[in-house]
């Protein structure tokens, strides 16, 4: 009798695996066991790990589509935070092109914020159904004025200068490039031999005509020759370069969000934002469980029923319940967990982010309301953990600050290239002057205070380069994370969390130290190439 004869047939190990959860207890903890506040206390992302699963697929097969509101789904679950050192026009455009979304801050005038939204919506249009037109009696100066304001000069010429009128020509940059007299009438320089498409053409077919004609613009006309819409070649190129881009289903414009407060004048601000083409409004408050926010949610849903509303911030299900009942389409979760936030320290109020995301997501999922994990995201692992606890997306501030697309100028300190990054609860942000009020003081209910109490700090972050390289790194890293866990999609990850097949483990302080770089004299940490 050999030593091995004393043991069962190794093939029987598969039977043990098949009976896991019934005859044999599964290894690790379920999410419910991990997030039991009575036995575990409040946990954040570094306090636990997700146990590995079974891999039978490639990482690039992992699907990262996720709903961020009841009606909006993104190809990548990444949202940039509405902070004045994180998201303005450039960030919002880049995030949407890469499959996420940018939320433009409101620490500025309503007109300035609406202008930023308009620029995002005009960046990529698909079928342009509100094209700017001129008549043949307008001048080159009129075309240059449009280029100065909107950034383009491919303009259809119609009989009355409006969409829906008979198309008679088009003016492009090439037509006016060498015209020195800006008073020249457009009928003297416009192109009249046009390539057009007929009303009802599909976007795919219109793009084919653009490619074959090698034209910059493709007018779409009806049977009477009247202009219905316009397609731009530049948008075709963007479609090829950014296949994951977040776009409105009908207009094919990039999706854009913006933040507002919950005061009466914010209703006027929202009117301007909606006119600019806003897709999602975020009610920006450090503590969203207030009569002000509930009333604002109800007003928005009654006034603009097609506009998606993300309410918050919340960290307990009781807060979420009131906002869901008011009509919120999504919830923003987090209070005091951001790298520049000191709310928990100063106000003694908040919740560890891991527990907050799990508890709110568990409740909100019963009503089909997605939650966004806002704050505490420092790396790909944190993103994966937030998703595994039930979040539909992550909102990032510090992780995107310091990128090329974030607002502000670079400066050098001790040989490092830096950018300013500040919390919206910092005194710097609260003291920013603006004709339309200060969005930061509204966020913290501090407009009437003679003494401002800071709930954030100001600092600087190292240059991260362009998010057009950084976000693809996050995307690919998250795919690999889900592959290690053994799930093929974010929906599968959340379903596995709920049914107990995705397992977790608590980490001691020693385990956290072991899981990081250690026992080296020196090292270089390159995150992606």
């Amino acid at each position: 009798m050999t030593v091995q004869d004393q043991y069962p047939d190794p093939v029987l190990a598969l039977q043990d695996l098949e009976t896991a959860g019934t005859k044999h207890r599964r290894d690790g903890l379920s999410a419910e066991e991990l997030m039991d506040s009575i036995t575990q206390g409040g946990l954040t992302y570094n306090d636990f790990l997700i146990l590995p699963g079974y891999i039978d697929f490639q990482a690039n097969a992992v699907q990262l589509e996720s709903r961020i509101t009841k009606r909006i789904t993104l190809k990548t679950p990444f949202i940039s935070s509405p902070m004045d050192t994180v998201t303005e026009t450039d960030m919002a455009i880049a995030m949407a092109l890469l499959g996420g979304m940018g939320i433009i801050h409101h620490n500025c005038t309503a007109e300035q914020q609406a202008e930023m939204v308009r620029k995002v919506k005009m960046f990529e249009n698909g079928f342009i159904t509100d094209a700017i037109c001129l008549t043949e009696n307008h001048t080159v100066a009129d075309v240059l004025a449009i280029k100065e304001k909107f950034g383009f000069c491919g303009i259809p010429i119609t009989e009355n200068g409006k969409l829906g009128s008979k198309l008679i020509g088009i003016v492009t940059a090439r037509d006016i490039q060498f015209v020195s007299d800006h008073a020249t009438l457009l009928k003297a320089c416009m192109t009249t031999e046009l390539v057009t498409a007929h009303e009802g053409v599909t976007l795919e077919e219109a793009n084919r005509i653009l490619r074959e004609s090698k034209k910059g613009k493709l007018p779409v006309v009806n049977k009477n020759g009247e202009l219905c819409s316009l397609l731009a070649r530049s948008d075709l190129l963007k479609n090829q370069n950014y296949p994951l881009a977040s776009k409105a289903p009908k207009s094919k414009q990039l999706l854009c969000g913006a933040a507002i407060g919950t005061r009466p004048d914010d209703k006027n601000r929202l009117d301007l934002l909606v006119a600019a083409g806003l897709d999602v409004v975020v009610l920006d408050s450090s503590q969203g469980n207030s009569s002000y926010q509930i009333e604002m949610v109800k007003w928005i849903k009654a006034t603009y029923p097609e506009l998606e509303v993300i309410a918050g911030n919340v960290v307990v299900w009781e807060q979420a319940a009131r906002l869901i009942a008011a009509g919120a389409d999504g919830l923003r979760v987090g209070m005091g967990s951001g790298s520049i936030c000191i709310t928990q320290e100063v106000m003694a109020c908040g919740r560890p982010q891991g527990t907050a995301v799990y508890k709110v997501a568990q409740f909100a999922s019963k009503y089909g309301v997605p939650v966004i994990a806002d704050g505490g995201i420092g790396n790909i692992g944190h993103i994966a953990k937030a998703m595994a606890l039930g979040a539909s997306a992550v909102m990032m501030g510090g992780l995107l600050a310091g990128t090329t697309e974030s607002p502000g100028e670079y400066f050098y300190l001790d040989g490092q290239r830096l950018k300013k990054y500040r919390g919206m609860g910092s005194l710097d942000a609260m003291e920013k002057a603006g004709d339309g009020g200060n969005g930061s003081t509204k966020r913290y209910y501090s407009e009437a205070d003679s003494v401002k109490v800071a709930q954030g700090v100001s600092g600087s972050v190292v240059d991260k380069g362009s998010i057009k390289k950084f976000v693809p790194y996050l995307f690919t890293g998250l795919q690999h994370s889900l592959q290690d866990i053994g799930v093929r999609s974010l929906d599968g990850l959340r379903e596995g969390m709920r049914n107990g097949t995705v397992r977790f483990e608590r980490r001691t302080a020693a385990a956290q130290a072991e899981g990081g770089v250690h026992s080296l004299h020196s090292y270089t940490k390159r995150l992606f190439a």
Side-chain angles (χ1 to χ4, degrees):
M1 183 176 182
T2 66
V3 173
Q4 189 59 41
D5 290 337
Q6 303 175 38
Y7 301 99
D9 186 341
V11 175
L12 297 178
L14 292 177
Q15 293 182 9
D16 289 341
L17 187 61
E18 291 171 0
T19 57
T22 55
K23 183 179 178 182
H24 300 282
R25 188 186 186 282
R26 287 186 179 276
D27 210 345
L29 302 171
S30 68
E32 185 178 7
E33 292 167 333
L34 176 72
M35 289 296 165
D36 185 344
S37 297
I38 296 175
T39 60
Q40 306 283 6
L43 304 182
T44 190
Y45 301 131
N46 286 337
D47 291 325
F48 67 94
L49 284 173
I50 308 168
L51 298 185
Y54 175 63
I55 299 174
D56 60 352
F57 53 92
Q58 295 294 321
N60 61 14
V62 173
Q63 296 296 311
L64 299 184
E65 282 192 359
S66 192
R67 284 193 311 142
I68 63 162
T69 69
K70 292 176 181 177
R71 293 185 292 184
I72 292 180
T73 298
L74 300 182
K75 297 287 181 63
T76 61
F78 306 141
I79 302 174
S80 64
S81 182
M83 305 171 71
D84 60 7
T85 51
V86 177
T87 309
E88 290 186 348
T89 301
D90 290 346
M91 179 66 76
I93 289 172
M95 287 296 293
L97 288 174
L98 295 167
M101 181 183 286
I103 309 297
I104 295 173
H105 73 86
H106 61 121
N107 210 20
C108 57
T109 67
E111 291 76 16
Q112 289 170 334
Q113 189 183 22
E115 178 67 9
M116 287 188 269
V117 170
R118 186 192 58 75
K119 287 180 178 178
V120 176
K121 300 302 292 184
M122 293 295 289
F123 182 78
E124 183 173 4
N125 291 286
F127 287 115
I128 306 170
T129 56
D130 57 350
I132 295 173
C133 302
L134 294 174
T135 69
E136 62 182 0
N137 293 319
H138 279 90
T139 65
V140 171
D142 296 316
V143 176
L144 295 175
I146 291 172
K147 183 178 182 181
E148 175 69 22
K149 183 175 181 180
F150 297 103
F152 61 84
C153 60
I155 301 171
I157 307 302
T158 63
E159 286 184 344
N160 67 3
K162 295 180 181 179
L163 198 71
S165 176
K166 188 170 183 178
L167 180 70
I168 58 176
I170 193 167
V171 171
T172 67
R174 200 175 294 174
D175 295 321
I176 63 173
Q177 186 174 8
F178 300 109
V179 179
S180 56
D181 183 4
H182 293 175
T184 302
L185 297 180
L186 297 183
K187 61 184 175 183
C189 58
M190 68 182 184
T191 297
T192 56
E193 295 182 6
L194 304 176
V195 175
T196 62
H198 293 290
E199 187 177 22
V201 66
T202 65
L203 184 61
E204 182 180 5
E205 177 65 14
N207 281 331
R208 184 191 64 78
I209 296 172
L210 261 181
R211 283 194 297 269
E212 293 178 355
S213 67
K214 299 180 181 179
K215 297 292 185 181
K217 296 286 191 299
L218 178 67
V220 179
V221 298
N222 62 20
K223 61 182 180 181
N224 298 320
E226 297 164 337
L227 183 65
C228 302
S229 59
L230 191 69
L231 192 71
R233 182 178 180 82
S234 59
D235 292 341
L236 169 60
L237 297 176
K238 293 165 195 167
N239 290 337
Q240 295 173 341
N241 295 333
Y242 300 102
L244 299 177
S246 304
K247 301 177 185 177
K250 293 182 180 179
S251 69
K252 302 301 180 182
Q253 293 177 322
L254 295 180
L255 294 179
C256 182
I260 64 170
T262 56
R263 295 296 189 256
D265 62 318
D266 285 297
K267 295 179 180 179
N268 298 328
R269 178 183 288 266
L270 185 60
D271 291 338
L272 293 179
L273 295 174
V274 170
L278 188 69
D279 300 291
V280 180
V281 63
V282 173
L283 298 184
D284 194 26
S285 173
S286 61
Q287 212 283 51
N289 188 24
S290 70
S291 59
Y292 313 112
Q293 185 154 152
I294 292 167
E295 290 169 5
M296 182 64 86
V297 171
K298 291 179 179 178
W299 179 83
I300 294 173
K301 298 309 294 183
T303 309
Y304 299 110
E306 297 302 311
L307 183 65
E308 297 289 275
V309 180
I310 297 174
N313 281 32
V314 298
V315 292
V316 300
W317 73 262
E318 291 92 339
Q319 291 176 296
R322 289 191 176 91
L323 295 175
I324 290 172
D329 300 299
L331 293 172
R332 192 174 165 199
V333 178
M335 188 175 184
S337 55
S339 62
I340 39 63
C341 190
I342 57 175
T343 296
Q344 294 182 11
E345 173 189 336
V346 175
M347 302 299 162
C349 196
R351 196 175 202 179
Q353 186 68 347
T355 302
V357 170
Y358 175 76
K359 297 293 187 181
V360 175
Q362 283 295 91
F363 179 80
S365 65
K366 295 193 302 182
Y367 300 94
V369 178
V371 303
I372 299 165
D374 175 24
I377 301 295
N379 52 50
I380 293 169
H382 291 167
I383 297 173
K385 291 175 182 179
M387 298 298 180
L389 293 175
S392 292
V394 293
M395 182 171 280
M396 300 174 288
L399 203 60
L400 300 178
T403 57
T404 305
E405 291 78 10
S406 63
E409 300 296 326
Y410 286 108
F411 64 96
Y412 286 87
L413 181 65
D414 298 330
Q416 286 195 303
R417 194 169 187 244
L418 309 172
K419 252 188 186 181
K420 180 180 284 190
Y421 175 51
R422 67 187 183 192
M424 296 309 291
S426 67
L427 291 181
D428 278 359
M430 287 186 176
E431 291 170 349
K432 181 179 178 181
D435 296 334
N438 184 290
S440 183
T441 55
K442 289 180 180 180
R443 186 176 201 277
Y444 295 93
Y445 305 110
S446 302
E447 307 101 303
D449 292 351
S450 57
V451 176
K452 304 298 183 193
V453 179
Q455 295 190 46
V457 300
S458 297
S460 56
V461 290
V462 176
D463 174 17
K464 296 186 179 76
S466 173
I467 70 164
K468 292 178 181 177
K469 292 184 177 179
F470 188 65
V471 168
Y473 152 70
L474 298 179
F475 182 89
T476 304
L478 185 57
Q479 285 183 313
H480 279 276
S481 178
L482 266 63
Q483 182 190 40
D484 282 345
I485 297 167
V487 295
R488 297 171 179 265
S489 67
L490 290 176
D491 286 339
L493 178 64
R494 288 186 287 266
E495 179 60 27
M497 176 270 292
R498 294 187 183 104
N499 66 29
T501 56
V502 171
R503 309 294 286 180
F504 301 84
E505 189 91 301
R506 275 293 308 270
R507 297 172 88 191
T508 64
Q512 292 182 38
E514 178 187 67
V517 179
H518 59 87
S519 305
L520 296 178
H521 172 268
S522 60
Y523 68 94
T524 300
K525 191 173 184 178
R526 295 179 62 206
L527 295 177
F528 61 95

